[in-house]
Amino acid sequence: MNNIDSITHLRGESIYLDDIPLINGTLFAAAFPSPIAHGIIKQLDLSEAENMPGVARIFTCKDIPSENQVGGIIPDEPLLADHHVHFCGMPIALVVAETRDAARAAVKKIKVVIEPLPVITNPREAQENNELIVPPRTFRLGDTANTWPQCAHVFEGSADTNGQEHLYIETQGAYALPQENNALKIYSSTQAPTAVQRAVSKVTGLSMHQLDIEVIRLGGGFGGKEDQANTWAALCALAALLLKKPVKYSLHRMEDMAMTGKRHPYSSDFKIGLDNNYKILAYEARFFQNAGAAADLSPAVLERTLFHCTNAYFIPNVTATAYSCRTHLPPNTAFRGFGGPQGMFVIEAAIAKAAEALGIPASVIQEKNLITTGDEFPYGQKAESEATACWQNAMQLYDIGSIRRQQAAFNNSHKLLKKGLALMPICFGISFTKTLMNQARAQVHVYTDGSVAVSTGAVEMGQGVNTKMLQVAAQVFSIPASQVKIQSTSTYRIANTSPSAASATADLNGKAVLLACTEILNRLKAVAAEEWNTPPTAIELKDEWLWVNGEKTGWDWKRLVMTAFVKRISLSEHAHYATPEIHFDASKEKGHPFAYHVYGTAIVETTVDCLRGIYTTDAVKVVHDFGSSMNTAIDLGQIEGGIVQGIGWMTLEEVIYDKEGRLRSNALSTYKVPDVYSVPKEIAIHYLATEKDNLAIFRSKAVGEPPLMYGIGVYFALRNAMRAFNPNAVMPFDAPMTPEKVLMALYAATATAAIKPQAGVNII
Ligand code: LUZ
Ligand code: MOS
């Protein structure tokens, strides 16, 4: 089935925050961001700004009626800076004016004097200064210390990954409308309506039941709107409440880039030990997460780094420690994969380092250590593994032998162009790692004309979740898609929602829809059973018709619905779903946190132009564990998009802050994102059908985040191509592998040799 949004998207008729018609009298907000990363506000002069034309009012933290706080996990994030600023871009004041341009013009007239304090941007430096957001966490399996002496080969190193800008096409924003009795309606571009509701409640002092947060859809989220939509909604709410006027703020792209956090950069150390058969016996890792200036979701992201630190491998002895390090950068946040990819990069780097030193392809080590069913993850859960199935299917289906032969022949006949290959197995746990978040609700109404409306806590952000919700309802009732409408997401209809995140939205909300629809269906069947005087088990609904004892009756769906209504049977249901079986004990760091895991293997082929440093991804050929995909078109889109986003993170996208903590890559002219040329020339996806996981909706496994991690393979394929050109290339594990870094790696040794001072010669 097609994505239900495809037609309105194509026609430009889909409604985003900025398409909502404005109410007369709407005012526009713009935040005044701290120009420096760390310091004490000595003076704030608003007078000139206040006198600018069209300015209604300028708000500071002093105007906040309740708490000046938007921190989610830890209350460490003021909405508006009090006297302390701790990142460049931190909102200090909010201008509200008659037009957007007037608000922005007034922002420029605000004057602030800030006494600067030392700025830390490096997570290792923060850790040395004991600047930690939460105490460090350690996951342990077996005993690494006593295993090193048994290892035939031990390698150590470090591996760094950079941040990543979410670059949702729709920037952050909110539109707050005062209602009677101080209630507020807020349209927000958020993945987490309840998080917005809580933050607004805290800041305004209004109870949650006075706050209707509504989301129609987002132009992308990618994790960036899991926690960081709160600020803009709370600012608009504050102004709307105090001015009694509708207030809208949708951020300019450069405001968004400068003021919001990104994927966490990590700096990590690893130590890996293997026996003579290339079995990994022990693995140690230390992760330094660059959290930025406030907790945001960093502690949860940190946890997922540990959960995924051994990727798709079984390693009997593991010690992994992770530090969430406070720096003076905008608070970093959720981003597709949520710390998992950062952990997986490090184990892949460790394997690559071992393979290079041992003179074997990394795939030899990878294959020997794939996790199998019954093996234990370092956090105690036993694997139900599809790792080997994905790997072996990929080898055979895509004929790895012939790929290797073709690449070798190419490399022999080309001097400056070199091809490289990498295999990238993935394993990603599905469920929020916080067990309590794994719950969802759905409200289903069947109207007397037979049409059906479904509300859930799921937020549509382009991932197609509404289409999947619709499929669930249509399938249970056996009615056409046109009979079902998925309503906007609203905290008035569905309360206490988890964010649309963790790849779990379709599973959690889909299961709730399934429960609600099944309940209504059972009532309808009881009505028919009474009418036909048979047990309900004899009743079936097929293609909008009622069947009794295997025979089609003269009743259609509408007649059945109307009959039930006449008999005063409820045609509405509000159902609750909580994932069974999962648990985790953080005091022991052991449990069964995930409903299931998603597996896959990608074969990645690249070509590097060793004269220019530029490269292409020739192919990403995947065998992916879909369970039993309920929508192959949507799932294919998720995989293709994930791969390209992963390639961006690993190769092009370079978030750069200077030593003063100012974002230098602050626009699309200085921050390179994947374009049509970065897309692999070939993406092949093979659907591995694995029908075991009943905790997935209709056994269709979660697909949102896992495919991003195939992109990690591109980094290692590039590395292999570079080694084909220059076996002595100097290549620290330091993603992204930009073309500049390719050139520096390929020619570093030669370049240093060329400028090495000869005895007695001074080079200035
Ligand atoms: N968000 C969250 C997530 O709050 N918890 C998670 O475990 C998670 N995982 C992936 C993406 N977002
Ligand atoms: Mo997310 S990283 O909001 O699933």
Side-chain angles (χ1 to χ4, degrees):
M1 160 174 191
N2 288 342
N3 189 317
I4 54 173
D5 282 344
S6 47
I7 290 176
T8 54
H9 278 3
L10 192 68
R11 290 184 179 152
E13 292 169 357
S14 297
I15 306 245
Y16 299 85
L17 181 77
D18 238 11
D19 300 306
I20 296 169
L22 296 179
I23 288 183
N24 226 347
T26 293
L27 299 173
F28 298 84
F32 171 66
S34 173
I36 78 162
H38 191 202
I40 308 284
I41 301 176
K42 290 292 176 188
Q43 256 181 52
L44 182 63
D45 180 0
L46 306 174
S47 50
E48 193 184 345
E50 277 166 341
N51 289 322
M52 290 285 287
V55 171
R57 193 164 152 189
I58 303 180
F59 296 93
T60 66
C61 64
K62 297 192 180 66
D63 300 302
I64 293 174
S66 188
E67 282 178 74
N68 181 17
Q69 187 51 246
V70 288
I73 298 180
I74 299 174
D76 66 348
E77 197 178 347
L79 175 65
L80 290 166
D82 199 341
H83 67 292
H84 197 177
V85 293
H86 50 195
F87 65 91
C88 196
M90 180 175 185
I92 295 177
L94 185 76
V95 176
V96 179
E98 282 160 17
T99 65
R100 203 176 56 177
D101 290 347
R104 288 184 184 155
V107 161
K108 297 208 173 90
K109 302 292 180 190
I110 294 178
K111 295 187 193 73
V112 68
V113 180
I114 300 176
E115 185 183 293
L117 291 168
V119 172
I120 295 181
T121 58
N122 179 331
R124 289 183 189 255
E125 189 185 338
Q127 191 263 342
E128 280 162 19
N129 291 326
N130 210 24
E131 284 289 342
L132 298 180
I133 302 273
V134 285
R137 306 259 313 252
T138 298
F139 280 21
R140 266 192 202 92
L141 182 67
D143 176 354
T144 44
N146 283 312
T147 308
W148 300 120
Q150 298 162 37
C151 296
H153 313 282
V154 176
F155 304 95
E156 289 181 72
S158 61
D160 292 5
T161 49
N162 200 343
Q164 185 174 22
E165 166 62 44
H166 299 86
L167 217 88
Y168 21 66
I169 293 178
E170 178 194 36
T171 54
Q172 303 266 7
Y175 182 26
L177 311 162
Q179 312 286 296
E180 62 180 25
N181 293 321
N182 274 339
L184 286 174
K185 166 149 192 129
I186 300 171
Y187 293 101
S188 164
S189 181
T190 179
Q191 293 171 241
T194 296
V196 165
Q197 190 188 22
R198 279 201 199 100
V200 172
S201 168
K202 219 179 215 182
V203 168
T204 58
L206 299 177
S207 303
M208 287 171 80
H209 71 199
Q210 285 174 292
L211 301 170
D212 181 17
I213 318 300
E214 183 173 354
V215 184
I216 298 166
R217 66 165 65 68
L218 315 185
F222 308 112
K225 298 168 181 171
E226 184 176 335
D227 214 48
Q228 301 211 343
N230 299 3
T231 298
W232 325 107
L235 289 172
C236 289
L238 173 72
L241 188 69
L242 299 182
L243 294 170
K244 302 252 175 276
K245 293 260 181 117
V247 176
K248 181 175 168 185
Y249 189 8
S250 71
L251 274 66
H252 186 279
R253 175 68 61 190
M254 287 178 79
E255 284 180 306
D256 191 305
M257 290 178 84
M259 295 200 268
T260 67
K262 320 199 179 299
R263 182 189 291 287
H264 293 80
Y266 274 66
S267 184
S268 309
D269 298 324
F270 62 78
K271 182 173 176 184
I272 189 168
L274 302 92
D275 71 10
N276 277 324
N277 295 316
Y278 308 130
K279 269 267 183 206
I280 305 172
L281 298 183
Y283 179 60
E284 281 181 7
R286 293 208 308 157
F287 300 100
F288 301 90
Q289 176 199 56
N290 192 334
D296 192 272
L297 292 162
S298 299
V301 171
L302 191 80
E303 192 173 50
R304 205 176 260 282
T305 302
L306 291 173
F307 281 119
H308 296 311
C309 72
T310 53
N311 189 14
Y313 310 109
F314 171 65
I315 304 177
N317 301 285
V318 176
T319 309
T321 299
Y323 303 89
S324 183
C325 310
R326 192 193 312 276
T327 59
H328 299 106
L329 300 182
N332 286 315
T333 193
F335 195 133
R336 201 175 194 172
F338 205 73
Q342 290 95 319
M344 287 159 65
F345 180 81
V346 179
I347 182 76
E348 295 301 328
I351 289 173
K353 178 147 188 171
E356 289 166 16
L358 295 168
I360 54 171
S363 57
V364 172
I365 301 176
Q366 290 172 310
E367 184 172 10
K368 284 218 174 206
N369 293 281
L370 291 172
I371 194 160
T372 59
T373 296
D375 286 342
E376 192 177 331
F377 288 101
Y379 46 92
Q381 183 161 345
K382 294 271 179 8
E384 294 224 25
S385 180
E386 308 291 350
T388 306
C390 290
W391 179 281
Q392 285 176 353
N393 270 290
M395 298 306 104
Q396 284 157 22
L397 193 68
Y398 301 118
D399 194 354
I400 188 78
S402 98
I403 297 174
R404 285 191 199 282
R405 284 190 296 278
Q406 281 169 24
Q407 285 208 342
F410 181 95
N411 286 351
N412 280 333
S413 60
H414 289 77
K415 206 168 162 189
L416 290 172
L417 292 177
K418 294 291 177 188
K419 286 192 184 288
L421 174 74
L423 280 99
M424 185 64 204
I426 61 156
C427 167
F428 197 77
I430 303 303
S431 287
F432 287 96
T433 57
K434 289 276 170 282
T435 301
L436 85 90
M437 293 171 80
N438 295 286
Q439 52 172 314
R441 279 151 295 276
Q443 174 191 276
V444 176
H445 295 314
V446 179
Y447 293 93
T448 50
D449 65 352
S451 65
V452 174
V454 176
S455 290
T456 72
V459 170
E460 175 61 52
M461 48 188 147
Q463 86 279 44
V465 71
N466 280 358
T467 304
K468 290 185 176 178
M469 296 305 95
L470 185 148
Q471 284 181 271
V472 173
Q475 181 163 333
V476 173
F477 292 138
S478 199
I479 53 178
S482 58
Q483 287 278 65
V484 183
K485 179 165 186 281
I486 306 300
Q487 307 291 31
S488 63
T489 316
S490 148
T491 53
Y492 272 9
R493 265 177 273 121
I494 306 291
N496 310 326
T497 60
S498 288
S500 286
S503 306
T505 315
D507 280 359
L508 295 172
N509 293 278
K511 289 276 190 177
V513 174
L514 180 61
L515 288 172
C517 293
T518 306
E519 180 62 34
I520 297 173
L521 178 71
N522 287 340
R523 287 182 211 140
L524 293 172
K525 281 185 173 175
V527 168
E530 196 181 295
E531 197 76 22
W532 265 269
N533 208 2
T534 64
T537 45
I539 308 290
E540 248 184 307
L541 282 162
K542 272 198 289 195
D543 302 329
E544 277 190 291
W545 287 92
L546 179 66
W547 292 60
V548 178
N549 289 317
E551 290 191 23
K552 191 171 175 179
T553 68
W555 281 36
D556 65 1
W557 162 255
K558 281 184 196 164
R559 177 145 181 206
L560 177 60
V561 166
M562 190 46 117
T563 307
F565 176 71
V566 169
K567 292 185 175 227
R568 298 188 294 164
I569 302 298
S570 165
L571 295 171
S572 297
E573 185 64 19
H574 192 112
H576 169 83
Y577 174 75
T579 313
E581 296 169 30
I582 53 172
H583 56 89
F584 191 71
D585 180 348
S587 70
K588 301 193 176 72
E589 306 287 25
K590 297 282 179 196
H592 186 107
F594 298 118
Y596 57 88
H597 290 83
V598 170
Y599 295 86
T601 293
I603 298 175
V604 178
E605 303 166 47
T606 59
T607 306
V608 177
D609 175 336
C610 298
L611 184 63
R612 295 172 183 82
I614 56 179
Y615 43 72
T616 52
T617 304
D618 303 324
V620 177
K621 296 169 177 164
V622 173
V623 171
H624 186 85
D625 161 25
F626 283 91
S628 168
S629 173
M630 67 186 284
N631 193 314
T632 49
I634 283 176
D635 288 356
L636 182 66
Q638 284 294 302
I639 299 223
E640 290 178 345
I643 288 172
V644 174
Q645 199 166 34
I647 290 176
W649 175 49
M650 280 285 112
T651 64
L652 303 168
E653 298 184 42
E654 225 173 3
V655 177
I656 295 179
Y657 291 94
D658 62 21
K659 287 226 170 348
E660 280 75 50
R662 282 177 307 216
L663 182 68
R664 291 310 191 175
S665 50
N666 65 350
L668 289 176
S669 53
T670 45
Y671 184 77
K672 178 84 184 100
V673 289
D675 56 18
V676 66
Y677 301 104
S678 339
V679 172
K681 288 188 188 150
E682 180 188 357
I683 295 183
I685 315 277
H686 178 74
Y687 289 71
L688 184 73
T690 53
E691 308 215 340
K692 283 179 232 155
D693 283 287
N694 197 29
L695 296 183
I697 180 68
F698 291 159
R699 299 178 191 267
S700 175
K701 282 186 160 187
V703 75
E705 294 169 290
L708 178 130
M709 288 147 254
Y710 293 131
I712 297 172
V714 175
Y715 182 94
F716 292 95
L718 290 174
R719 203 178 154 90
N720 289 334
M722 290 156 68
R723 279 163 33 84
F725 178 77
N726 177 0
N728 302 317
V730 181
M731 293 187 283
F733 295 100
D734 182 15
M737 185 75 91
T738 57
E740 293 86 342
K741 283 197 200 150
V742 170
L743 282 182
M744 288 193 290
L746 292 179
Y747 300 103
T750 5
T752 343
I755 59 162
K756 200 180 240 159
Q758 291 157 5
V761 179
N762 255 336
I763 294 189
I764 297 164

